[in-house]
Amino acid sequence: MFDPLDVPADQRAALPEAIKVPSGHHLAFAWVGSGKLLYECRPKAGNAAQLEWVFIGPTAQLTDRLGRAMGRYFVPPATWESSDGSRVTGAQLAVAPAAPGSIPLQLVKASAAGKAGQLSAVTYIQRLATRGGVPSAATCKAATAGTRTQMDYAADYLFGTAG
């Protein structure tokens, strides 16, 4: 399993600028998310004659690098919840391309939304090393309009704190 904590700082520095955590924050811990991403086949915004898969939300388990359950990731709103009951909600700030067939890399601004605990001080979350999660555009057509599909995905979530 990929362990972002083992990646040297100079390699982390090679991340796309758009998804870098602002200076003054540091990596506190990293978890691996794996689960399903839900999409619905809907008319494309601005062009109702075309259809596209629209992201509805995730249902994922979060584990540490040894595979131990640490929490979950779900919506609404986008929420990361620790097994200690602490949680944060996130607002997407930026995305960057990932490997073909994988959801984009992402930077999220986190806000505490639960009781005090491991996630209470988290200010930013990066989604890196994404694997899968993208439905085939060819499967969203008139015959499937309004249907939903779930795609398997995995990603590394890096949690940053101020200081």
Side-chain angles (χ1 to χ4, degrees), residues 30-91:
W31 290 342
V32 175
S34 60
K36 304 278 187 185
L37 299 180
L38 179 63
Y39 295 87
E40 185 172 320
C41 183
R42 296 182 183 168
K44 193 176 239 180
N47 185 353
Q50 292 184 338
L51 296 169
E52 66 180 348
W53 288 110
V54 176
F55 178 68
I56 303 296
T59 302
Q61 295 302 308
L62 299 170
T63 61
D64 67 9
R65 48 191 191 159
L66 299 176
R68 295 178 297 212
M70 300 305 290
R72 63 191 186 118
Y73 172 42
F74 60 95
V75 293
T79 303
W80 292 260
E81 181 180 63
S82 172
S83 55
D84 69 8
S86 62
R87 64 172 61 176
V88 292
T89 58

Side-chain angles (χ1 to χ4, degrees), residues 4-22:
L5 299 176
D6 290 339
V7 176
D10 63 328
Q11 290 179 25
R12 284 196 306 260
L15 291 172
E17 198 63 39
I19 62 162
K20 287 185 181 178
V21 174

Side-chain angles (χ1 to χ4, degrees), residues 96-120:
S102 294
I103 57 174
L105 309 180
Q106 181 184 51
L107 177 64
V108 171
K109 176 70 173 130
S111 299
K115 68 180 194 175
Q118 186 171 11
L119 294 174
S120 301

